[in-house]
Amino acid sequence: MSWEVRTMRSVTLYFNNTLYRKTMARFWPLWGLWGVFWMFLLPLYMLTRYFHVPQWVSTGPQDILLDAAQEVPQFLGISAFLTMGMGVLCAMAVFGYLYTSRSACWTHALPMRREALFTTQYLAGLSMLLLPQLAACLLGGLVELCLLPAACWSMALGRMATLALVQSGISLFFFSFAVFCAMFTGHILALPAFYMILNWLATGIWFLLDALMIEFYYGYSSAVGVKEAVVYLTPIAALNNAVNWVYGEERLSAPGTVAVYAVVGVLFFFAALLVYRRRHVETAGDVVAVALVRPLFKYGVSFCSGLAFGMFTAAFFDLATPPALTVLIMLWAVAGSFAAEMLLKKSFRVFQAWRGAVAMAGVLLVICLVCFLDLFGVVGRVPRAEQVTSIEFFVEMGYPDDSSRVLSTTVYSQEQIAKLIALHQAIVDNQKEDAGGYYDQDHDSTWVRLSYKLSGGGTLVRNYGTVRLYVEDLDTPGTATYAMEQLVQDKELVAAAYRFDSISENARLTSASLVRLAKQGDVEAEDSYEDTLSYESAIYLDDCRQELWDAVQRDFAEGNIGVRYLFDYSQERRANTCVADLIFEFSENRTEESNGRSERSTYTDNWEISVTLTPQAKYTLAVLDRTGLWEQGYVLRTQAGTVVR
């Protein structure tokens, strides 16, 4: 008999049924509304799809319901975001007694141990989150059993079970994480703030540091690998990616991620219990209730304030030079330190804490100096050719301003990789970047973005927004101008810029037109752009569109068309390019998977290619001569004003 009594007491130590029922009854509107949402999302939605089949749909109600059952996992994306919000609301409800002295003292005076109080409230909050959605999944399954044929039960119930299981794991994590955050604060409004900040903390810190490095490191661009790690440390982002349903394979994209987060949720439960056992009732009302965490809060606020507000202020007042940015970051770090101290002390008399503010400003000064001096060689890092397997790049290809003006492609050949590495090295060695835009026949600029795929599996990305080009460097190896000249003279790259390789056998040439063609009376005008036909209409030449296209291809092969110039106002460029462009429009029917399913849909892809005419384009001009344009009063002239036709 005594053994039975001890057993009963052991059970009641960690759970109190009366308190559980009272908590559930007190907050019934919260979990009731959550249940209504899930009822509309699952069983009521399915019943509506079954009983209200539109007249224009040829399939039967069972087929419509089967489609709805297949789409059930798609709800996990939106439900993950809603569960994140609902998790903190449930934590605020069941542990709200911690945030006022009166309720905290009264609750902890109840004749039960802290372990029992915590576990009971935790289970009550988790029940508010889990039970309504599990009930909705159960009713949804009953709808499927009643209205679908037995042959479909396995698939339909499997999808519903997947939803219930995954949603339970997501709920367990977010609620446990919210409870963990609740243990560190004594203010109810601080709980959702801490919860949301910690959910996005990894992403926020990465973006702040990334923005700082962009300001200090010439050409720096975000590192893709680090971003992926940061996403994994951002719960909502990682879970949202993990619950994508892969049709065809009939599975979640990353079920292991959900399982890991569910295990982490269990660990958060035990960690929160450990903190709760040592939490002082007197901390009710404090922003941070645990003394050990207060320095972390203070210096964390100072660090983030310094970077965020410092860079914002620099951008707002256009003071984004390294010295000015460093000073602003330090000033805002000091301000953030004092603000955090005010929240902790609940007083404005915090200036005696100047040592911590100065220390944090010193830390950020060191970080800025490390970036400014480039102690880790970030700016000068250029891979060797043997380390590179491919380069995805974007570059402005000079002039004329037709479809080959911008090149965005991926190269694999060692010869082209070597050219791009030479360009990268020249940009790094010279670092002639000037945001001011002055352009004449001796000066111009280009934009270069390089994304290296390294043989070891890594990625290196560099982005140079304004690379200065100088005529005097055209014949000087090792300069950016010389390296760019080697690129624009590569006919294979120019053809890729024109997207000639996008013309498949199934593509149809639907139209050809000529734009920016001058009238006879406009020849004497000095500015060839202001008086041309392009601002009013285009001359369509559809009757000879295929002949024109073939002629352009032949001229390009012989080097009569597609010659690129780095300087817009150079005499050579203006004498050897015409004002007028030929526009070719293409159309092609393409097929792709529909909504990630095995079904395929067909759509029409339309695009155009513009080619600037040149005086040397003998085959193309011969076709234009036969159209009678010149007899109609039109005149073809170069950028320099010389009449070609």
Side-chain angles (χ1 to χ4, degrees), residues 494-514:
V494 176
Y498 275 118
R499 295 181 298 165
F500 288 154
D501 56 350
S502 66
I503 312 300
S504 66
E505 295 180 355
N506 299 323
R508 301 181 305 278
L509 178 59
T510 59
S511 178
S513 59
L514 193 59

Side-chain angles (χ1 to χ4, degrees), residues 13-315:
L13 276 177
Y14 297 97
F15 183 76
N16 186 285
N17 185 51
T18 302
L19 180 61
Y20 175 84
R21 288 187 287 105
K22 291 289 186 181
T23 303
M24 293 293 292
R26 180 183 178 186
F27 298 107
W28 71 265
L30 182 62
W31 56 263
L33 290 175
W34 183 238
V36 169
F37 165 76
W38 278 95
M39 289 298 173
F40 274 95
L41 189 66
L42 291 177
L44 294 179
Y45 170 74
M46 291 182 170
L47 290 173
T48 302
R49 293 288 298 272
Y50 183 83
F51 288 109
H52 296 86
V53 179
Q55 296 181 354
W56 50 268
V57 175
S58 59
T59 55
Q62 285 189 332
D63 294 328
I64 299 294
L65 181 58
L66 182 59
D67 287 340
Q70 291 177 323
E71 295 169 357
V72 160
Q74 294 182 1
F75 297 146
L76 286 168
I78 183 64
S79 69
F81 282 93
L82 295 174
T83 303
M84 180 179 68
M86 186 64 183
V88 71
L89 291 178
C90 291
M92 292 171 68
V94 297
F95 289 103
Y97 63 87
L98 294 174
Y99 304 131
T100 61
S101 298
R102 182 177 180 181
S103 61
C105 293
W106 183 88
T107 304
H108 286 94
L110 294 174
M112 67 179 73
R113 296 185 55 174
R114 282 202 172 191
E115 291 84 350
L117 182 60
F118 176 86
T119 305
T120 302
Q121 296 295 83
Y122 176 89
L123 292 176
L126 188 61
S127 299
M128 295 178 191
L129 198 58
L130 277 179
L131 294 183
Q133 59 197 28
L134 292 179
C137 290
L138 178 61
L139 291 177
L142 291 176
V143 170
E144 294 173 346
L145 287 174
C146 295
L147 301 179
L148 287 177
C152 301
W153 287 355
S154 176
M155 184 281 299
L157 294 178
R159 298 285 176 90
M160 188 65 71
T162 298
L163 174 69
L165 185 62
V166 172
Q167 186 61 29
S168 297
I170 294 173
S171 300
L172 174 62
F173 170 78
F174 279 121
F175 178 71
S176 298
F177 186 49
V179 171
F180 179 74
C181 295
M183 298 302 105
F184 290 92
T185 181
H187 199 289
I188 194 167
L189 295 181
L191 171 55
F194 288 172
Y195 174 75
M196 295 304 297
I197 289 172
L198 292 176
N199 261 294
W200 295 95
L201 183 63
T203 298
I205 291 178
W206 163 247
F207 276 116
L208 289 175
L209 293 175
D210 189 54
L212 183 69
M213 289 186 285
I214 288 175
E215 294 294 335
F216 279 98
Y217 292 140
Y218 175 64
Y220 173 83
S221 188
S222 300
V224 177
V226 177
K227 279 187 175 179
E228 292 175 354
V230 169
V231 168
Y232 195 77
L233 293 174
T234 305
I236 185 59
L239 289 171
N240 188 55
N241 294 337
V243 298
N244 290 327
W245 187 260
V246 182
Y247 287 97
E249 300 181 19
E250 307 303 321
R251 63 173 182 84
L252 294 175
S253 59
T257 301
V258 181
V260 169
Y261 272 98
V263 172
V264 173
V266 175
L267 297 178
F268 274 134
F269 163 77
F270 288 107
L273 175 59
L274 184 64
V275 176
Y276 184 79
R277 291 176 60 186
R278 290 164 173 77
R279 179 189 172 102
H280 297 292
V281 177
E282 295 80 11
T283 59
D286 292 347
V287 174
V288 179
V290 179
L292 187 63
V293 182
R294 292 189 176 192
L296 183 62
F297 170 78
K298 175 181 176 180
Y299 295 120
V301 170
S302 177
F303 179 83
C304 294
S305 297
L307 291 180
F309 291 109
M311 286 186 285
F312 171 79
T313 305

Side-chain angles (χ1 to χ4, degrees), residues 477-494:
T479 63
T481 308
Y482 180 87
M484 275 298 303
E485 182 69 11
Q486 308 311 305
L487 280 183
V488 300
Q489 297 306 322
D490 189 322
K491 290 194 64 173
E492 185 178 347
L493 293 179
V494 176

